[in-house]
Amino acid sequence: MEIPTVKVTMLGTTGSGKSTFMLGMYATLSAGLRGYFVYAQDQDDHIDLTDAWDRLLDDGLLPPPTTEERSRRYEFVFTQGFDTLLNIDWLDYRGGALTDRKTARDTAELQQRLGQSDSVYLVLDGNAVGRWVRSIVEGEGDNPSLRLERIQRELKVQDMTAQLNRCVGERRKAGLPAPSVVALITKMDTLPVTSGLDRIDAINLAVEHLPELLPVVTSGLTTLVSPVQLGEFGTEHHDTVDTQRVNPTHLHKPFVFTLMQYLWSGIEDNETELENLAAADVAAATELERLRSGVVRSLRNRGRINSLQSEKQRRRSAAESRRSTVNLMNSRVQQLRDELMNLPIYRNGKLAP
């Protein structure tokens, strides 16, 4: 099976955790987690990322926010053991590129990139999400609609949704499928701190009410809701953190989903082509019967009969190859689905079973 290359783009505000997520993801998966690995194609990228991780573990230094001049592309390889599953084309943007005018270099680059993106990660700061969950629990104070609007503005939900719509439109124009989406709730450790609930209840409440906060998750795009964290750092802004509180959690799951959705799409494409091959076989069989039942079998008829038989053999080989691919994809999807157990996935606007 051909190894896919998937372009991933993250949308989120400055400080939402985009660069920190990527750093923690790379550190976790470059070492390996439950048989999954990631490595950078470029050795210099690998060194830069591991050096940044060392600074975090040794000195508690978080990665600085991405600037317009520091936007950077990475080429990652995602593997299971030594088997390559996915090539990942990743571009790290500053949060301000989401809302700047397109005269900014990286804003124009971001908009062009979106039309090529196979998967879009919508990054929601868990600190803000936790305060919204708390407002649901307490049910006091301002009008609920106003509280929701404030959090949406803080998270730039309207801007992310507009950019995602632009992405879908550009891909449709190009005859490409809609992107998969990850609603990435970063700083998962802050959800219970700001909501007053225990961690499990805070996460469950955030996930349950996420369609209110981020309505695009039920728009029909296939969407994973994935809470993640780099560590137990609390709600205060930090340039440095306690190295003893680094605790990466669930950072590999968005990549698992991105691959799984690619495979789902590939299964659908192959099954459609198998249906087309079967329909072509039926049509060819009808024509063969007509040609063979003729009173006079001309040389032209014999030539056409031979051609139809050769085409049938080619279709048979193509169908066998596609069925083998579908079986392999289904087997891999099941493995990946087990890895995402208990994480909600929306398909066609509804939670998938």
Side-chain angles (χ1 to χ4, degrees), residues 263-281:
L263 293 173
W264 262 335
S265 180
I267 289 169
E268 291 173 356
D269 290 345
N270 276 285
E271 288 179 341
T272 297
E273 186 56 30
L274 283 169
E275 291 174 1
N276 293 337
L277 290 170
D281 269 347

Side-chain angles (χ1 to χ4, degrees), residues 131-151:
R131 283 187 277 108
W132 171 66
V133 169
R134 181 171 185 170
S135 75
I136 295 173
V137 174
E138 294 179 347
E140 300 174 353
D142 295 331
N143 182 292
S145 297
L146 183 58
R147 292 199 303 268
L148 177 59
E149 182 185 353
R150 285 173 178 167
I151 297 296

Side-chain angles (χ1 to χ4, degrees), residues 260 329-339 341:
M260 188 174 73
M329 286 181 166
N330 274 320
S331 173
R332 189 154 284 168
V333 161
Q334 186 55 52
Q335 293 174 355
L336 297 173
R337 190 69 182 93
D338 291 344
E339 187 65 30
M341 191 72 68

Side-chain angles (χ1 to χ4, degrees), residues 37-51:
F37 300 85
V38 162
Y39 66 89
Q41 289 275 30
D42 189 301
Q43 175 67 4
D44 288 348
D45 289 341
H46 171 78
I47 291 172
D48 289 344
L49 289 168
T50 53
D51 283 351

Side-chain angles (χ1 to χ4, degrees), residues 230-261:
L230 183 64
E232 309 280 344
F233 303 142
T235 59
E236 297 299 320
H237 172 75
H238 304 278
D239 292 323
T240 61
V241 296
D242 182 351
T243 60
Q244 298 300 312
R245 299 182 72 82
V246 175
N247 180 27
T249 305
H250 293 175
L251 297 177
H252 68 299
K253 292 184 182 292
F255 278 3
V256 170
F257 168 77
T258 294
L259 172 59
M260 188 174 73
Q261 173 57 17

Side-chain angles (χ1 to χ4, degrees), residues 39-234:
Y39 66 89
Q41 289 275 30
D42 189 301
Q43 175 67 4
D44 288 348
D45 289 341
H46 171 78
I47 291 172
D48 289 344
L49 289 168
T50 53
D51 283 351
W53 185 249
D54 288 343
R55 287 193 294 272
L56 174 63
L57 293 185
D58 294 340
D59 305 316
L61 293 176
L62 290 171
T66 303
T67 64
E68 184 176 349
E69 292 73 26
R70 293 182 67 249
S71 294
R72 186 165 175 179
R73 180 185 173 194
Y74 297 91
E75 293 182 348
F76 296 128
V77 180
F78 184 42
T79 74
Q80 187 176 31
F82 293 105
D83 296 327
T84 298
L85 303 179
L86 185 68
N87 297 314
I88 301 162
D89 180 337
W90 185 288
L91 197 57
D92 188 20
Y93 289 99
R94 68 183 176 99
L98 177 65
T99 55
D100 268 359
R101 294 182 182 275
K102 62 182 180 182
T103 49
R105 179 188 61 80
D106 58 345
T107 298
E109 185 180 33
L110 172 59
Q111 293 193 359
Q112 180 182 21
R113 166 81 174 195
L114 278 169
Q116 305 166 358
S117 299
D118 303 290
S119 191
V120 178
Y121 292 11
L122 306 179
V123 184
L124 306 175
D125 187 328
N127 200 339
V129 175
R131 283 187 277 108
W132 171 66
V133 169
R134 181 171 185 170
S135 75
I136 295 173
V137 174
E138 294 179 347
E140 300 174 353
D142 295 331
N143 182 292
S145 297
L146 183 58
R147 292 199 303 268
L148 177 59
E149 182 185 353
R150 285 173 178 167
I151 297 296
Q152 286 178 326
R153 282 193 294 157
E154 182 178 344
L155 293 170
K156 303 297 183 186
V157 166
Q158 293 87 342
D159 297 288
M160 288 194 291
T161 302
Q163 295 283 18
L164 183 57
N165 273 310
R166 188 173 290 114
C167 169
V168 173
E170 290 296 320
R171 289 181 65 84
R172 282 179 175 171
K173 287 179 187 176
L176 298 171
S180 63
V181 175
V182 176
L184 191 71
I185 303 175
T186 59
K187 308 174 189 177
M188 182 173 67
D189 62 301
T190 65
L191 286 173
V193 174
T194 52
S195 66
L197 301 171
D198 66 37
R199 177 164 300 194
I200 298 300
D201 287 342
I203 291 172
N204 288 340
L205 196 59
V207 169
E208 178 186 350
H209 289 271
L210 190 65
E212 301 168 28
L213 181 66
L214 190 66
V216 75
V217 302
T218 57
S219 65
L221 300 177
T222 303
T223 302
L224 170 75
V225 182
S226 181
V228 300
Q229 70 174 43
L230 183 64
E232 309 280 344
F233 303 142

